[in-house]
Every structure is written in C-alpha cells, then in structure tokens.
C-alpha cells in the first residue's frame, strides 16, 4: 500500500491517531489544475487544546524512553522518507507545484534531517561544573516539553521536519500546524512517516489550519517553545504573542538576498547561477536571489543572457510535463508578484523578459536598470523575478547589498575568492556562499538569518538543535544536608 493512500487519512487530522477534527475538513488543491486532489481535516482552537493536553501527557514517558529507542524511531523515519520518496514526491509536485528535482531535494533532505536527529538522543546532555562546595554541580539539558511548529507552503517538508525531527529526538512532543495549502505533502506525509516508524501515540499532532490555529498553539500554556518559519510580518506577530506568554520563539523569516557578480566572474556560469537563484520553485524561496548586483562592465551582457535564458525556460504543470517552473501557489501570491513587477516598470525598470502570466503560471521575469527604489528590488517578491542593478566599485556593491532590512543569504561570484571573502566580511548576512547563488540548505549546516530575516536562531547541526529544543537546568547533589546559621 502507498504511504499516502487516501483511505487512511481522508478528511482527518492526526492527533492520537487519525481522527475527525472539530474544525471540519478542507480541500487539498492542485495549483496547476485548480482541481481538488484530496480532503484533509482542519484544526481549530479546541483541536489545539486537546492535542496539547495529550502531547504533554505522552511527552513524560517519551522523555524517559531509552535513548536507543528514540534514535531508532528517527532512523526508521529517515528510511521511510527514502522508501516513500516517490509517493511523497508526487504530492509535492501536485499539491505544492514543485518540479520533480525540487521534490527530490525535499524528500532527500527530510531523510537526512531524521538521520541527523537520530544522533541527538546519544549526545552528552550536560557538563560537570566547578563548585565552591563539596558537591556535584551539573548543567544538564532537558527537553522543553511540548514544541509548537508552524511552517509555510514553499518547502513544506524540509521547513517543518527540520524542527519536528530534532524536537522529537530530544524527548519532546510536537504539535505541528502546516500551511493549509500544503497540508498533505507537508503535513499528512510527516504524520504517516512517524506512524509507520513506530513513534508512540500522542507525541506528534498534525493540525492543518490558518493563522487562528497558529495563534491558539502559541497561546497554549503547555507549549514551551515555538518554532516558526514564514513571513516577517507573521513572524512579528508570533514573536509578540510568544513574548506575551513568556515562551521562546525561534523565528525564521523572509529575505531579499543579493547575488553580487564581480567583473572577473565567468559570465555563462554566473548567468546560470543567477537564473537558478531567482527562478527555482518559481522564486518562492526565502533565500531566493531577490537582487542581482552586477558590475557595470558586464551588466549589459549579463541582462541579455539572463533574459534569453528566462525566455527559453518552460513553464507548466510539473505533474504532466517536463518544465523548469511550475505554478505559483495561489492567486493572491500571483497578484502580489504581478503588482510588484508592474510597479517596478512604472518606476523606470526595463522589462527584459517575462512580466506575463496565464492562470497561476508566471513567466520568469528579468527587470533591468533596477535601483534601490524599484519595488521588486526593494521588497521580497517571492516569485520568479530577477531585478538587476549595477555597481561601479566594491564600495558601491557593499552599499547596495547592505541596503535592506533583511539578512538571510548572500552569494558572491568572482574568480578571486579572497576578494569575495573580504566583500562578505562587509555585508551582514546569516548565510554566505562564495561562487554559488543564494539558495542552499543542508541538514548539518546552521541555517538562519539576521535583521528582519529572523531572531538569529539556527536550525541544523547538534549545537543549534540542542540549543533550540532543550532547556538548561542547574542541578547540585551532595551526600548530607548542609548546616545553616539558623
Ligand atoms: P506566512 O507568514 O503567511 O505563513 C507561514 C505560516 O504561518 C503558515 O502556516 C501560516 O498559516 C502561519 N501564520 C500566519 N500568520 C500567523 C499568525 N499570526 N500566528 C501564527 N501562525 C501564523 O508566510 P507565507 O507567505 O505563506 O510564506 C512565505 C514567507 O515565508 C516568505 O516571506 C518567506 O521568505 C518566508 N520563509 C522563510 C524561510 C526561512 O527559513 N527563513 C523559509 C521559507 C519561507
């Protein structure tokens, strides 16, 4: 039987097994065909409360479960992501509009996230401290209890499993709210994997829903840590609500990342890197190359070649045709993209390619002569749009690259890596790639942004995950009770 056989989960949420939701059901839609392709349960505030109560109960036993068993569940989950990659990949293509290589990156990375998480239960849990008293003084790491995870639609698998897997591995329970637009590929699939991997009941709850479900999750007193990935606007609200309830929130937010192309870079390779950075997954990536900064000596040729490439990239339904770009997730996102492109042209940018759409299929777009006030250059577009600005010298490149509130990723292309390194040192960014474009992720790498791209918290690697999903306890132990002056 396929992992995602609909008879298992049709119209249900995963909360202590598959169950009917108080919030009812909703359609899972294909953005390419606008057809209903499944039906999922949708959570509401009552479902959140029930899930959190049950998660808090189940977490106590799980934290006491042998580290060997917790690691084994995570390893099995990783194997299942590999075994069912085609099944899950099919939903990533149909429901999220992913092209097959992007879907494969998601399932491969999801497996890797689970394998990395499987190393966490056997990790040392603390340190023996110096003490002025004759006693054992320890700093040890304990699970936080219940972790709330909220994820966006664009990489629905990676951006949720990167929190769910380490949180579970470290002895927590998880209540997870996927984006309703990707509730099957980024929600049901994860529930089914952990069900098959033998995760004990009650530890993972998957409640698709909108902002109201997210707000209820943050407010629930049993949730001690919130792991949020999404827009800066929603992240601010999540951060404010978490602060009100005095709980930690890890916020991974938007970006408007620059790719700096120096005049000594190989032009063909630079154009290919730039196209990939801006057009992969229709540009719906937090680390997408949102600003191309190209040395004025090569800028005309760069724009010409990038526009020619954009004009030749096939756009269509990735479920039925071999295409480079699939659909935008919905009309709202498409209209936002188009209004930014239109406003950019209105403010003086030159449309070198694209700028048109049919239904949810937006043509890859190149905007030449962009300046810091060009709307598609100044703001995160989250669409397949490559605005190109020029610079005359390195100081100008630094000023342009740094002229943003965001600070997620930065790419620098040059044959002189030391020059690129010196440039990187001058531009604030959570991630820097020299001789690569801005989009990349690995389960072992500390992922996160500065500025309004997030709180600078990190996912990836044992240090970041232990910091994110445990809390420190100071514990002392001595043989006899101390004598006090009174
Ligand atoms: P969004 O912020 O609208 O939604 C993200 C998730 O948050 C969804 O599940 C949504 O239902 C939920 N949500 C929205 N408002 C909420 C609230 N007030 N309380 C609780 N939950 C709430 O984001 P989007 O527009 O769908 O996704 C794209 C954005 O996400 C872009 O800005 C992109 O850069 C960002 N993103 C960041 C990263 C990263 O790792 N830094 C990765 C992917 C996407």
């Amino acid at each position: 039987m396929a992992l995602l056989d609909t008879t298992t989960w049709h119209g249900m949420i995963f909360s202590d097994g598959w169950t009917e939701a108080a919030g009812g059901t909703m359609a899972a839609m294909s953005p390419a065909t606008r057809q209903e392709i499944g039906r999922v349960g949708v959570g509401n505030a009552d479902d959140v409360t029930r899930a959190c109560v049950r998660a808090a109960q189940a977490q106590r036993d799980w934290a006491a479960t042998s580290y060997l068993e917790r690691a084994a569940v995570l390893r099995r989950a990783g194997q299942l992501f590999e075994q069912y990659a085609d099944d899950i990949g099919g939903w990533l293509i149909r429901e999220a509009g992913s092209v097959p290589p992007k879907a494969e990156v998601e399932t491969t990375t999801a497996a890797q996230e689970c394998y990395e998480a499987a190393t966490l239960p056997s990790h040392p849990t603390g340190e023996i401290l110096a003490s002025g008293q004759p006693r054992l003084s320890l700093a040890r790491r304990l699970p936080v209890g219940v972790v709330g995870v909220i994820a966006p639609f664009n990489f629905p698998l990676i951006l949720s499993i990167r929190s769910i897997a380490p949180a579970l591995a470290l002895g927590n329970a998880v209540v997870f709210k996927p984006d309703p637009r990707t509730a099957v590929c980024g929600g049901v699939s994860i529930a089914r994997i952990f069900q098959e991997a033998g995760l004990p009941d009650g530890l993972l709850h998957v409640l698709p829903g909108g902002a109201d479900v997210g707000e209820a999750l943050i407010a629930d007193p049993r949730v001690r840590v919130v792991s949020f990935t999404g827009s800066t606007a929603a992240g601010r609200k999540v951060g404010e609500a978490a602060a009100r309830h005095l709980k930690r929130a890890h916020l991974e937010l938007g970006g408007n990342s620059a790719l700096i192309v120096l005049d000594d870079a190989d032009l063909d390779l630079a154009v290919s890197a730039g196209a990939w950075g801006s057009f992969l997954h229709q540009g719906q990536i937090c680390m997408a190359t949102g600003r191309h900064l190209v040395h004025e000596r090569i800028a005309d040729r760069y724009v010409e070649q990038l526009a020619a490439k954009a004009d030749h990239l096939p756009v269509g339904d990735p479920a039925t045709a071999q295409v480079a770009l699939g659909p935008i997730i919905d009309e709202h996102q498409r209209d936002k993209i188009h209004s930014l492109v239109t406003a950019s042209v209105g403010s003086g940018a030159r449309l070198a390619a694209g700028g048109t759409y049919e239904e949810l299929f937006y043509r890859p777009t190149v905007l030449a002569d962009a300046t810091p006030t060009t709307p598609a250059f100044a703001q995160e577009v989250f669409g397949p749009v490559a605005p190109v600005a020029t610079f005359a010298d390195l100081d100008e490149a630094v000023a342009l690259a740094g002229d943003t509130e965001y600070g997620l990723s930065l790419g620098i292309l040059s044959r002189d890596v030391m020059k690129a390194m010196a440039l990187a040192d001058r531009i604030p960014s959570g991630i820097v790639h020299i001789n690569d474009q801005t989009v990349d992720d690995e389960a072992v790498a500390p992922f996160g942004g500065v500025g309004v791209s997030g709180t600078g918290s990190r996912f990836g690697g044992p240090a970041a995950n232990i910091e994110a999903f445990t809390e420190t306890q100071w514990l002392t132990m001595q043989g006899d009770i101390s004598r006090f002056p009174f």
Side-chain angles (χ1 to χ4, degrees):
M1 193 171 89
L3 181 82
L4 296 178
D5 189 298
T6 51
T7 52
T8 321
W9 51 268
H10 178 85
M12 309 276 203
I13 52 170
F14 187 71
S15 193
D16 226 0
W18 293 102
T19 172
E20 284 184 10
T25 69
M26 61 169 280
M29 302 292 291
S30 155
T33 64
R34 308 308 288 147
Q35 301 290 315
E36 179 170 333
I37 52 174
R39 185 150 282 273
V40 293
V42 55
N44 68 12
D46 290 340
D47 294 308
V48 170
T49 303
R50 240 190 326 274
C52 291
V53 168
R54 180 68 182 103
Q57 273 169 2
Q59 187 269 333
R60 285 191 281 277
D61 289 341
W62 179 238
T65 299
S66 152
Y67 77 92
L68 294 165
E69 176 54 18
R70 280 189 277 132
V73 168
L74 270 298
R75 278 196 302 275
R76 287 196 292 273
Q79 285 156 1
L80 289 161
F81 271 119
E82 290 177 336
Q83 183 180 336
Y84 291 110
D86 287 347
D87 193 5
I88 299 172
W91 281 92
L92 284 162
I93 292 166
R94 291 193 302 281
E95 189 189 26
S98 313
V99 296
K102 182 266 189 184
E104 195 184 326
V105 166
E106 288 226 56
T107 51
T108 308
T109 307
Q112 205 54 45
E113 292 282 355
C114 291
Y115 293 136
E116 287 301 321
T119 68
L120 294 174
S122 57
H123 211 273
T125 54
E127 296 174 309
I128 300 176
L129 306 176
S131 175
Q133 315 289 330
R135 63 184 177 183
L136 195 57
S137 178
L138 308 172
R140 64 173 182 162
R141 286 283 187 172
L142 299 173
V144 296
V146 181
V147 173
V149 176
I150 300 173
F153 70 85
N154 60 328
F155 273 72
L157 205 50
I158 295 178
L159 299 176
S160 45
I161 196 72
R162 74 178 179 184
S163 296
I164 294 170
L168 288 173
L170 289 163
N172 301 288
V174 172
V175 181
F176 166 40
K177 188 205 85 62
D179 189 294
R181 291 165 290 185
T182 46
V184 181
C185 59
V188 170
S189 66
I190 293 173
R192 287 287 297 125
I193 288 280
F194 280 102
Q195 203 181 10
E196 292 295 307
L199 184 75
D201 285 347
L203 282 171
L204 173 64
H205 301 255
V206 181
L207 311 178
D212 55 320
V213 180
E215 285 163 8
L217 188 55
I218 299 160
D220 191 283
R222 284 147 290 238
V223 172
R224 295 310 311 153
V225 162
V226 176
S227 175
F228 174 86
T229 304
S231 63
T232 295
R236 277 188 210 282
K237 292 186 192 151
V238 170
E240 282 166 13
R244 200 160 49 243
H245 295 288
L246 296 174
K247 53 185 74 173
R248 276 195 282 155
H250 305 297
L251 305 175
E252 292 293 352
L253 311 177
N256 192 8
S257 300
L259 177 68
I260 302 177
V261 187
L262 300 189
D263 57 354
D264 65 351
D266 180 305
L267 194 63
D268 290 347
L269 294 176
V271 166
S272 173
W276 184 263
S278 283
F279 303 145
L280 178 66
H281 199 46
Q282 300 78 264
Q284 301 170 115
I285 305 181
C286 55
M287 314 158 262
T289 302
R291 298 175 299 147
H292 297 239
L293 310 181
V294 184
H295 194 282
E296 61 185 13
R297 255 199 296 273
I298 57 168
D300 286 348
R301 282 182 292 144
Y302 183 90
V303 167
E304 195 184 320
Q305 290 191 27
L306 188 62
K309 193 177 280 291
D311 283 338
H312 283 96
L313 289 175
V315 183
D317 183 352
T320 54
Q322 195 171 1
V323 293
L325 284 80
I328 302 299
I329 194 72
D330 63 17
E331 283 84 358
H332 172 76
Q333 285 290 126
R334 181 204 61 200
D335 293 346
K336 185 182 152 221
I337 295 164
H338 196 56
S339 71
L340 282 170
V341 170
T342 308
S344 298
V345 174
S347 74
R350 177 169 63 84
L351 191 64
T356 58
Y357 63 87
E358 273 175 42
E359 297 178 347
L360 294 183
F361 301 103
Y362 205 92
R363 287 291 321 164
T365 297
V366 179
L367 290 168
D369 305 331
T371 69
T373 57
T374 301
F377 186 88
Q379 297 172 43
E380 182 185 43
V381 178
F382 225 58
V385 179
V388 184
T390 63
F391 62 87
D393 56 32
L394 295 184
D395 287 342
E396 197 183 357
V398 169
L400 276 171
D403 185 19
T404 174
E405 289 183 288
Y406 294 106
L408 190 51
S409 185
L410 169 69
I412 303 174
L413 308 182
S414 169
R415 287 195 168 92
D416 184 342
V417 291
M418 294 316 288
K419 194 202 276 186
M421 191 70 193
L423 199 51
D425 285 344
R426 299 172 63 190
I427 301 165
S429 183
I431 300 166
V432 179
H433 298 297
I434 291 174
N435 283 326
D436 205 346
Q437 42 72 49
T438 53
V439 178
D440 203 358
D441 190 13
E442 286 193 50
V444 292
F447 187 102
V450 299
V452 302
S453 290
T455 45
S457 50
R458 287 286 190 272
F459 298 119
N465 284 324
I466 290 170
E467 178 67 26
F469 300 117
T470 65
E471 55 202 356
T472 303
Q473 181 185 62
W474 179 36
L475 173 80
T476 70
M477 197 193 302
Q478 57 198 31
D480 297 307
I481 300 172
S482 303
R483 289 186 186 282
F484 293 94
F486 60 86

